[in-house]
Amino acid sequence: MRERAEEFGRDGQRLLTAVWAADAPPRLRMLRQVEILRQVWIHQYYWDPDGQLRWREGTALPPASLRFDSPYDTDAHYCVKLDVEWSGYPVHFTESCDQDLPHLVVHVATTIAPVQDGQLTEKIHDDLATRRLAPAEHIVDTAYLTPAHAERAQRVQGITLLGPILADHSRQAKAGSGFDKAAFTTDWVNEQAICPRGATSASWTKLNISGHTYLQARFAETDCQPCPDRARCTSSATRPRSVAVLPRALHEIQMRNRLDQQTEQWQRRYAIRAGIEATLSQNVRAHGLRRARYRGLARTHVQHVLTAMACNLSRLADWYDTTSSARRAPHFRTLCHTAGFTIT
């Protein structure tokens, strides 16, 4: 029976591969359309306990990563980012920012909409390294950066990943008072945490949270209950304080980055990242980046690459054209000069 099931599984997989092939014959293309229709019904409708067909709403809908929004493009998915909602694909541009050279798009990545930005960081670095374009310093926003990304980029490709690490979201850190995680000293050799009052943790255990490894130091009740600073340390009336930290290498990167990004020198270094926003704006306004002209992830990626090439050609033409019209001042700068303001 098991051999028969395995044979059926292999045959079924071969059939699905043939159905979804680009050059599938008409009969198999019809099967593909029937399969898409079946998935649309499953995504949008369900049978309730009384046997009534109902329309799915809210949390009853499948996750956006599984649910496509149009039967005409099954790779287009719904996504929300901040206050923006769309159905389609996100594109990720990596741009050179050498001071005395034209700023050109050197890497383009296209994914389905629900893919998080941070999932692209390692792929972008690997692709750039393969093409011998790996930068000495890569400036990114928070979504692309975690301590693990920074450690891996430096260790594997020798890339310094510069960007703001997420702040501590604990109650104490948000309030700006009390003992947040940074107030505790970690003794890595003895696997202990030391609180601001000098008490040492009683246990040290590994935790797995959302696929990430943490080390949790828990303090003893006998130390926490009589502590005069208990209200500043924990909101629990009975339980002792515990602190979860990343493994040593990642914890040190996290703490160092959080301190550095508050300095003026770090802010000046990071300010150059604003240039990529201008690049995205240029491609949206001048080259139609926001509207997909093709169906499917692969074809849309080709469009994004061609759009980036058009942007690069435009910039190279402006760079080598020394006439005043090619390098005219932005309207905002002209307006400021007219009003008597000086912009450096």
Side-chain angles (χ1 to χ4, degrees):
M1 180 65 72
R2 179 178 298 176
E3 292 178 356
R4 181 63 177 169
E6 291 177 353
E7 180 182 352
F8 178 79
R10 290 192 297 270
D11 291 343
Q13 185 61 45
R14 284 197 294 269
L15 176 60
L16 286 176
T17 301
V19 166
W20 289 97
D23 58 347
R27 182 175 297 180
L28 290 185
R29 287 202 298 269
M30 183 178 66
L31 287 176
R32 179 167 59 193
Q33 294 168 359
V34 172
E35 171 61 18
I36 291 173
L37 180 61
R38 184 188 70 85
Q39 292 183 37
V40 169
W41 277 83
I42 292 174
H43 293 169
Q44 302 297 332
Y45 299 94
Y46 71 100
W47 294 101
D48 68 9
D50 297 328
Q52 296 294 318
L53 188 64
R54 301 291 183 183
W55 187 29
R56 295 183 187 271
E57 294 182 303
T59 57
L61 288 166
S65 58
L66 301 178
R67 183 186 75 249
F68 49 81
D69 275 9
S70 170
Y72 300 104
D73 188 352
T74 56
D75 288 336
H77 295 258
Y78 173 78
C79 188
V80 178
K81 189 172 184 180
L82 299 179
D83 296 330
V84 180
E85 301 181 30
W86 81 95
S87 180
Y89 311 88
V91 59
H92 307 260
F93 279 0
T94 303
E95 176 188 53
S96 63
C97 53
D98 300 280
Q99 186 174 2
D100 300 324
L101 294 172
H103 295 178
L104 304 176
V105 178
V106 296
H107 186 273
V108 180
T110 308
T111 66
I112 63 170
V115 173
Q116 300 297 312
D117 294 347
Q119 296 177 244
L120 273 295
T121 306
E122 293 183 4
K123 181 183 185 308
I124 292 171
H125 289 166
D126 291 343
D127 289 349
L128 290 173
T130 301
R131 297 163 56 191
R132 299 184 181 180
L133 292 174
E137 186 175 67
H138 190 189
I139 305 169
V140 298
D141 69 10
T142 302
Y144 294 89
L145 178 60
T146 65
H149 288 144
E151 188 276 334
R152 197 249 186 195
Q154 184 63 54
R155 174 173 49 84
V156 177
Q157 277 99 13
I159 299 173
T160 298
L161 200 55
L162 178 66
I165 291 279
L166 279 175
D168 185 354
H169 291 305
S170 65
R171 175 183 62 85
Q172 298 89 341
K174 288 182 178 179
S177 61
F179 301 147
D180 60 4
K181 191 181 300 184
F184 290 77
T185 303
T186 305
D187 182 353
W188 299 102
V189 176
N190 297 312
E191 297 186 339
Q192 290 178 326
I194 305 171
C195 80
R197 278 284 182 173
T200 57
S201 59
S203 65
W204 181 274
T205 55
K206 278 189 176 183
L207 296 178
N208 190 286
I209 303 175
S210 300
H212 301 283
T213 299
Y214 288 85
L215 303 170
Q216 184 183 58
R218 184 178 293 276
F219 290 83
E221 291 186 11
T222 53
D223 290 326
C224 290
Q225 287 289 354
C227 180
D229 287 323
R230 179 179 178 83
R232 298 176 61 197
C233 191
T234 178
S235 58
S236 174
T238 57
R239 290 180 297 178
R241 177 66 187 270
S242 63
V243 179
V245 298
L246 292 167
R248 182 173 185 174
L250 304 185
H251 176 76
E252 291 175 349
I253 290 173
Q254 185 182 63
M255 293 296 103
R256 183 172 62 250
N257 279 28
R258 283 177 176 172
L259 290 175
D260 289 346
Q261 64 199 39
Q262 298 175 14
T263 65
E264 184 179 350
Q265 179 183 3
W266 188 95
Q267 294 290 342
R268 286 199 301 267
R269 287 176 61 199
Y270 186 68
I272 195 173
R273 190 205 158 268
I276 194 64
E277 301 298 340
T279 299
L280 293 173
S281 178
Q282 176 185 355
N283 281 277
V284 168
R285 297 174 184 276
H287 304 297
L289 179 65
R290 191 161 285 166
R291 182 172 295 277
R293 291 172 170 81
Y294 307 100
R295 298 175 185 172
L297 178 62
R299 292 183 177 89
T300 303
H301 176 63
V302 172
Q303 176 190 333
H304 291 161
V305 171
L306 294 174
T307 303
M309 291 173 61
C311 175
N312 288 346
L313 290 173
S314 175
R315 291 186 172 187
L316 287 172
D318 288 346
W319 181 266
Y320 288 109
D321 189 345
T322 57
T323 62
S324 58
S325 60
R327 292 177 178 247
R328 62 182 180 274
H331 295 303
F332 181 72
R333 182 183 293 273
T334 303
L335 180 63
C336 289
H337 284 314
T338 303
F341 297 103
T342 303
I343 299 180
T344 57

